[in-house]
Amino acid sequence: MVFSSQIFLFYFLPLVLCLYYALPFRARTAMIALSSYVFYGWANPIWAVIMFFGSSVDYFCGLALVRFAGLPDQDGLPPIIGPEIPRTRKMRIVLAVSIVTNMGLLAVFKYTGFAAENVNALGRALGMGHDLVPVLHLVLPVGISFYTFKAMSYAIDVYRGEARPMRRFTDYMCFEAFFPDLVAGPIIRYAALEQQMRERQHTWDKFARGVAFFAFGMGKKILLANPMGHIADTAFAGGALHVGDAWFGIFGYAFQIYFDFSGYSDMAVGLALMMGFVLIQNFDSPYKADNITDFWRRWHISLSTWLRDYLYIPLGGNRKGPVRTYVNLMAVMLLGGLWHGASWNFIIWGLIHGGMLAFERAQGKNSPYRRLPHPVRVGITFIVVCLSWVFFRAKTLGQALVYFKSMLGLATVTSAADSVAGAMYTPYHGAMFVLCGITVWGLPNTWAFTNKLSVGRSVGGMALLALAILMMWTQTVNPFLYFQF
Amino acid sequence: MNRATAAAAAPAPTAKPVKTSGHGGPTDPSHDEHLRRGIIHTDVSRGMAIAITSFFLLLIFAVPVSQAVMEKARGEETMLLDIFHRAPTRDNLKQFEDDLDKASYAKDAVQPRMQALLTRLGRVGNKKAVVGHGGWLYYKPGITYLGGPGFLDPNILAVRIKASLDAGEPAGHPDPRPAIFAFADALGKRGIKLILFPVPDKAMLQPLQLHGRGDAGRPLPVPHNPDWAPFVAEVRGRGIAVFDPGPPTLLPGEPPRFLVQDTHWTPEWMDAVARQLAHFVIETAALPALTTMIGQTSPATRQAVAMPIERVGDIVDMLKLPEAETIFAPQRITVQQVQEANGTPWESNPKADVLLLGDSFTNVFSLDSMGWGEAAGFGQHLSLALGRDLDVMAQNDSGAFATRQALARELAGEDRLAGKKVVIWEFASRELAVGDWKPIDWDAALAAAAGAH
């Protein structure tokens, strides 16, 4: 189900809110779990079964960890496994079971086809005339990358003693399947939600803030991301393009992916707030970043902090010398790229960002770049990010290279390219493009903007929501970009 | 490991603590406690918070409630109960959602008006329609074909297969060549010549009205997909005739070849193409003299009768504007209906020695439901130009497989290829890039035809 759809907005959400506030507190968690499964299974009921399998394994792993720690309950709650408790072999096996289950699900659905294709390509390169392994093509369950990462954080946080496990099965189901963040994040780590599962406040201002988040998120998606998607989709459906058209297309994509994803995150945060949950901030005006390191502090924060805490630091972080730090950065970003999708384009995208992070770290604080005026640095950073988006958006490596050639004016362009431009440029899309620029560089992010809900901001937010709903009906269902990852 | 220290020394996200304002920002350690306890600070008055909440609830409840009221008032059964009458399969749930969308009174009221506003003020189309300059409209898949990468590029073909699989659909057959070669071979076994006729796209022949670039006073080259020339060369190399009516250049002042708001050609250009194709057929295939044929009517007595028609094009229909909307005025054209001597409209003759397989380009002026007249289409005018009867099988859409499939099915019951010397296969050229070129088991079809014969 898509947030910006009639079925969600006018049927699912009102029903869920009614039930939620009509039920006693303990039953609410079970109701959220059940409705989350309906939400998820709506696109394909089989996917809900797959998620249920993974969740069940994680739930029992959490209980097993506590059992093997041999600790009694604390104040009627499952205990936190403190640092004084030695981690036994059995506990490590349980943790491994959880991680292997989640990574296994991800590997089966996301990476086996890619791996098989590359094995076969290698075989052909070595002169073998036939495929070495069969290429299975499994339909990727929506949001599997998000919920498996979320689930892994559960077992790891419990194992590390950063949170207490859940006793009630429905509580765990609610955490893992929580519909606001289920399919496209933010990737909520278990430790951040554990206490909220047991107790949370419901207030008018929390609900109103949730509505404001939802309104701005919906506005971003419908009014900005989708028109920019038209520009980007048209440009990337084309072959070789004129220089200006290619840049217009990639800028359009940069705006699309930002407003699409941050819009989704805002809506997720807003929906969670309506039910008393506080999620984390996932975007902090990323295109205002003045270097790539800064960009990753602001872009998809829940993923970058997940990778930091569960991958970069366990790999040694920056504690093993500069070379190892650079290798770790590259490795983490490469895996971050692969997390987005099983293709060489995502690997290259990750390597570009990993390379830039390593390069900036090597430059230190006194690099000449830092002496450039701030707007110039912001501009350069945006261009670098846009160049990397080419790999992210292009469907094949060949298409990415043709697109690069177009951006540099090196492509062989025929008059057919003009037809692409004809579909791209309209007064409406031009106006929305300018509005995107103003929003990105001239306005605060949603968290800061909704922190104070004055009369003007509230009226503006509600008008935006109403307009977005009206516009939603003119657009065919346009799933969020991150659903595919 | 000291996690606080490690976090401070970590990569990008931790190199500098994120400045926050206490409203539950990024997962900085200083905010963990607030986050765990679900605290968020919002500066909002109680009255405003209640007003915002009330507005939101009113908004999301208004649509289903008004829908229920409208359905009750009109004595209709609510769609919502359908969900309990169907098994919860992926297809059923999708169907339910689609039906709910279609039944929505709110959407019905809003969508056409918003679309009209956007189209009028911002030249906004939709997934199918592109709004050009001066009221010209274009069908987007045609632009995708023309401006897209080469349709024979192996990477592009692989991407199209993967896209089908990702959508949970069968892999599809994006490469047109195997289907074309197999069809030509099958026809060849019966001694029938195949003539391929991909109709150029509107964006190729009316480019200035689409993008507004270039000098209207100078000749313009006709743009093509990068793989058009290699495709034609390869197909001709296999002995298959390809008919391309597109001019090499577009000259200033030429009359339009396509209808302003429609995906299809003008009746004048269609007629001109029919005459060109008739010459091509006669040059390409040695057709027997007409007098030796059995069952032919007398083509010499046929006549074309002018009939004015007025309507907005099919791309306006795709925009789903309000019925009373006047952004696009109806286009008035004159079609030439082909009639027999007694005034009855021309009819296809299954016994004719030339078979035309066509899509909506064949149907546009002959299929009454398309709104541009009847018996005035491509088949009729080709028949007139050839001076002989014609057998026509035409289906709108899916020119890549629809008529081939229909022919193969028909062969099981009746040998539609009996007595044929030439098959002309007309389809929109965009099919080369977007069509599904499903394979047909021609051996089985021909064997069945032999049995039927």
Side-chain angles (χ1 to χ4, degrees):
Chain A
M1 216 178 279
V2 181
F3 291 163
S4 52
S5 68
Q6 172 156 272
I7 185 98
F8 177 84
L9 208 48
F10 301 125
Y11 295 93
F12 181 84
L13 184 58
L15 184 65
V16 166
L17 289 177
C18 279
L19 288 172
Y20 182 83
Y21 281 98
L23 289 170
F25 187 82
R26 292 306 299 174
R28 288 174 178 175
T29 312
M31 193 282 294
I32 294 175
L34 187 65
S35 54
S36 295
Y37 269 88
V38 171
F39 174 88
Y40 188 62
W42 192 262
N44 191 339
I46 302 295
W47 295 347
V49 176
I50 294 166
M51 186 170 70
F52 185 82
F53 163 73
S55 300
S56 303
V57 171
D58 295 319
Y59 168 73
F60 288 113
C61 285
L63 292 182
L65 282 172
V66 171
R67 185 184 173 85
F68 293 138
L71 293 171
D73 280 7
Q74 297 165 346
D75 303 325
L77 296 171
I80 290 178
I81 307 169
E84 72 282 1
I85 305 297
R87 269 46 177 178
T88 63
R89 186 167 175 269
K90 282 183 179 175
M91 291 168 76
R92 284 194 292 274
I93 289 172
V94 169
L95 177 65
V97 166
S98 172
I99 292 173
V100 168
T101 302
N102 285 296
M103 292 303 289
L105 282 176
L106 209 49
V108 166
F109 285 101
K110 200 162 181 172
Y111 300 112
T112 44
F114 179 61
E117 282 169 11
N118 281 283
V119 167
N120 290 336
L122 189 64
R124 282 193 294 274
L126 295 173
M128 297 181 193
H130 59 91
D131 285 351
L132 296 172
V133 285
V135 179
L136 291 178
H137 193 100
L138 300 171
V139 177
L140 184 69
V142 164
I144 192 170
S145 305
F146 287 90
Y147 75 69
T148 49
F149 267 40
K150 199 164 115 177
M152 276 190 279
S153 82
Y154 173 72
I156 296 171
D157 285 356
V158 170
Y159 178 85
R160 285 177 172 178
E162 291 175 0
R164 60 182 86 242
M166 284 179 186
R167 184 79 73 203
R168 285 162 58 111
F169 187 60
T170 49
D171 284 358
Y172 184 73
M173 288 292 149
C174 175
F175 159 71
E176 186 163 334
F178 190 48
F179 75 83
D181 67 36
L182 174 60
V183 287
I187 303 168
I188 306 299
R189 291 153 57 183
Y190 174 64
L193 268 197
E194 178 244 319
Q195 195 169 345
Q196 296 185 53
M197 299 299 293
R198 280 181 281 112
E199 49 184 322
R200 55 188 179 275
Q201 281 189 315
H202 301 90
T203 61
W204 285 107
D205 61 336
K206 220 174 186 180
F207 199 103
R209 182 83 179 271
V211 171
F213 264 111
F214 191 84
F216 286 110
M218 182 97 172
K220 283 180 178 178
K221 167 66 179 166
I222 299 286
L223 304 176
L224 299 178
N226 288 353
M228 293 305 100
H230 166 82
I231 294 172
D233 291 349
T234 309
F236 276 86
L241 301 176
H242 296 292
V243 179
D245 300 339
W247 281 99
F248 186 59
I250 195 61
F251 287 157
Y253 182 66
F255 289 145
Q256 180 199 11
I257 194 164
Y258 170 58
F259 286 115
D260 190 281
F261 194 19
S262 75
Y264 186 92
S265 294
D266 289 346
M267 292 162 91
V269 169
L271 290 166
L273 278 172
M274 290 177 204
M275 291 181 284
F277 289 93
V278 177
L279 307 186
I280 60 170
Q281 185 176 355
N282 213 17
F283 289 89
D284 184 15
S285 305
Y287 291 150
K288 288 178 184 167
D290 64 356
N291 56 61
I292 297 298
T293 309
D294 188 24
F295 175 78
W296 278 102
R297 285 187 204 111
R298 296 161 173 267
W299 178 272
H300 203 173
I301 296 164
S302 64
L303 176 66
S304 57
T305 50
W306 198 102
L307 292 172
R308 176 198 68 194
D309 291 347
Y310 298 118
L311 197 58
Y312 177 76
I313 292 172
L315 282 173
N318 63 354
R319 289 168 286 123
K320 297 188 175 177
V323 174
R324 181 65 185 270
T325 302
Y326 306 148
V327 171
N328 287 345
L329 285 169
M330 296 286 283
V332 167
M333 292 311 295
L334 184 149
L335 289 170
L338 259 182
W339 176 86
H340 284 88
S343 87
W344 285 102
N345 277 17
F346 287 116
I347 292 173
I348 292 169
W349 175 81
L351 286 174
I352 291 171
H353 280 275
M356 286 303 296
L357 289 176
F359 175 73
E360 287 176 0
R361 185 171 276 263
Q363 291 296 299
K365 289 182 177 172
N366 298 318
S367 73
Y369 176 78
R370 291 186 183 254
R371 290 195 286 275
L372 292 171
H374 180 70
V376 175
R377 280 183 281 135
V378 170
I380 291 172
T381 304
F382 182 66
I383 298 290
V384 172
V385 170
C386 283
L387 293 174
S388 71
W389 284 142
V390 173
F391 288 103
F392 202 88
R393 176 59 181 79
K395 287 198 170 81
T396 63
L397 192 55
Q399 193 196 8
L401 296 176
V402 169
Y403 204 92
F404 266 121
K405 279 186 177 177
S406 299
M407 290 168 78
L408 298 171
L410 301 173
T412 309
V413 183
T414 68
S415 56
D418 289 325
S419 65
V420 177
M424 251 195 324
Y425 296 100
T426 71
Y428 172 74
H429 291 100
M432 290 300 110
F433 186 85
V434 172
L435 191 60
C436 284
I438 292 169
T439 309
V440 160
W441 288 293
L443 295 178
N445 66 57
T446 319
W447 281 77
F449 194 75
T450 58
N451 194 29
K452 181 181 169 68
L453 290 176
S454 62
V455 175
R457 287 183 187 189
S458 303
V459 170
M462 294 311 99
L464 196 67
L465 178 62
L467 182 62
I469 289 173
L470 294 177
M471 287 292 290
M472 179 184 83
W473 274 315
T474 65
Q475 300 170 355
T476 47
V477 174
N478 215 327
F480 291 86
L481 291 179
Y482 264 68
F483 276 24
Q484 64 191 292
F485 299 137
Chain B
M1 183 176 69
N2 181 330
R3 288 188 48 73
T5 311
T14 55
K16 185 178 83 177
V18 178
K19 204 168 122 186
T20 60
S21 53
H23 52 73
T27 50
D28 187 85
S30 64
H31 286 280
D32 276 3
E33 189 54 24
H34 273 181
L35 196 61
R36 282 174 203 277
R37 295 172 60 196
I39 295 171
I40 190 164
H41 301 287
T42 309
D43 184 358
V44 57
S45 70
R46 186 176 165 80
M48 183 51 69
I50 292 173
I52 291 171
T53 303
S54 305
F55 176 83
F56 179 72
L57 294 177
L58 194 70
L59 203 60
I60 61 170
F61 279 94
V63 171
V65 169
S66 63
Q67 179 77 17
V69 169
M70 293 288 282
E71 283 170 347
K72 185 84 179 163
R74 298 186 181 198
E76 295 167 359
E77 275 192 31
T78 178
M79 268 282 312
L80 289 175
L81 296 178
D82 282 7
I83 191 76
F84 301 110
H85 300 150
R86 309 176 189 190
T89 61
R90 189 186 72 147
D91 293 342
N92 283 348
L93 293 171
K94 173 86 175 62
Q95 187 62 49
F96 172 76
E97 191 173 344
D98 289 348
D99 291 347
L100 201 65
D101 255 14
K102 280 180 200 149
S104 170
Y105 285 106
K107 185 176 180 178
D108 261 7
V110 171
Q111 190 269 333
R113 290 172 176 83
M114 287 299 289
Q115 183 65 56
L117 192 70
L118 291 169
T119 303
R120 187 182 288 277
L121 298 180
R123 277 206 293 120
V124 176
N126 58 25
K127 291 260 181 197
K128 290 180 179 173
V130 172
V131 184
H133 298 267
W136 280 75
L137 297 175
Y138 292 81
Y139 187 46
K140 198 162 184 186
I143 296 171
T144 304
Y145 158 72
L146 175 59
F151 56 83
L152 300 180
D153 180 338
N155 289 324
I156 299 300
L157 297 174
V159 164
R160 287 183 58 200
I161 290 173
K162 188 171 183 299
S164 300
L165 294 171
D166 284 345
E169 293 163 3
H173 306 86
D175 189 343
R177 292 167 297 185
I180 292 168
F181 297 156
F183 190 31
D185 289 347
L187 293 175
K189 286 176 188 168
R190 296 284 300 267
I192 302 167
K193 178 87 182 162
L194 175 64
I195 296 177
L196 213 58
F197 172 26
V199 182
D201 193 79
K202 185 176 183 178
M204 295 163 65
L205 301 182
Q206 308 294 157
L208 285 180
Q209 295 90 337
L210 170 61
H211 52 70
R213 291 177 174 177
D215 185 351
R218 292 181 171 205
L220 294 169
V222 174
H224 282 285
N225 179 285
D227 276 346
W228 169 251
F231 166 76
V232 171
E234 189 174 345
V235 172
R236 284 181 178 154
R238 293 282 293 247
I240 302 166
V242 180
F243 173 66
D244 178 8
T249 51
L250 303 170
L251 303 173
E254 283 182 317
R257 293 181 171 86
F258 278 80
L259 298 168
V260 176
Q261 310 145 355
D262 203 278
T263 35
H264 303 102
W265 43 23
T266 60
E268 293 79 17
W269 192 53
M270 180 204 71
D271 186 31
V273 170
R275 275 184 264 138
Q276 278 182 56
L277 179 57
H279 283 294
F280 186 80
V281 171
I282 289 162
E283 281 172 13
T284 308
L287 291 175
L290 201 56
T291 49
T292 65
M293 296 298 296
I294 302 164
Q296 293 268 14
T297 52
S298 177
T301 60
R302 287 181 182 141
Q303 54 186 340
V305 178
M307 291 191 171
I309 301 273
E310 185 178 89
R311 68 155 287 185
V312 291
D314 61 354
I315 310 177
V316 179
D317 300 338
M318 293 175 202
L319 283 170
K320 295 178 183 165
L321 299 168
E323 280 182 19
E325 185 51 56
T326 56
I327 303 172
F328 300 101
Q331 185 173 5
R332 190 177 177 80
I333 60 168
T334 301
V335 299
Q336 305 287 333
Q337 188 178 74
V338 180
Q339 298 177 348
E340 302 295 347
N342 61 4
T344 57
W346 180 98
E347 281 190 13
S348 167
N349 180 359
K351 292 196 170 87
D353 56 353
V354 179
L355 170 63
L356 170 65
L357 303 178
D359 63 2
S360 60
F361 278 92
T362 293
N363 276 337
V364 63
F365 302 118
S366 58
L367 193 64
D368 191 30
S369 60
M370 292 184 77
W372 292 108
E374 55 182 326
F378 185 60
Q380 288 80 1
H381 284 262
L382 181 61
S383 169
L384 206 58
L386 281 169
R388 60 204 307 130
D389 277 3
L390 195 65
D391 185 10
V392 181
M393 291 179 74
Q395 284 191 29
N396 290 352
D397 297 329
S398 308
F401 70 86
T403 44
R404 268 187 311 130
Q405 205 167 52
L407 175 64
R409 280 183 187 146
E410 190 147 331
L411 289 175
E414 184 189 350
D415 187 4
R416 188 77 175 250
L417 292 175
K420 296 288 185 286
K421 297 294 175 197
V422 177
V423 170
I424 300 163
W425 183 10
E426 176 274 306
F427 55 84
S429 54
R430 61 174 175 271
E431 289 288 317
L432 294 168
V434 302
D436 185 2
W437 299 85
K438 294 177 185 176
I440 305 276
D441 185 351
W442 287 111
D443 287 339
L446 293 180
H453 192 64

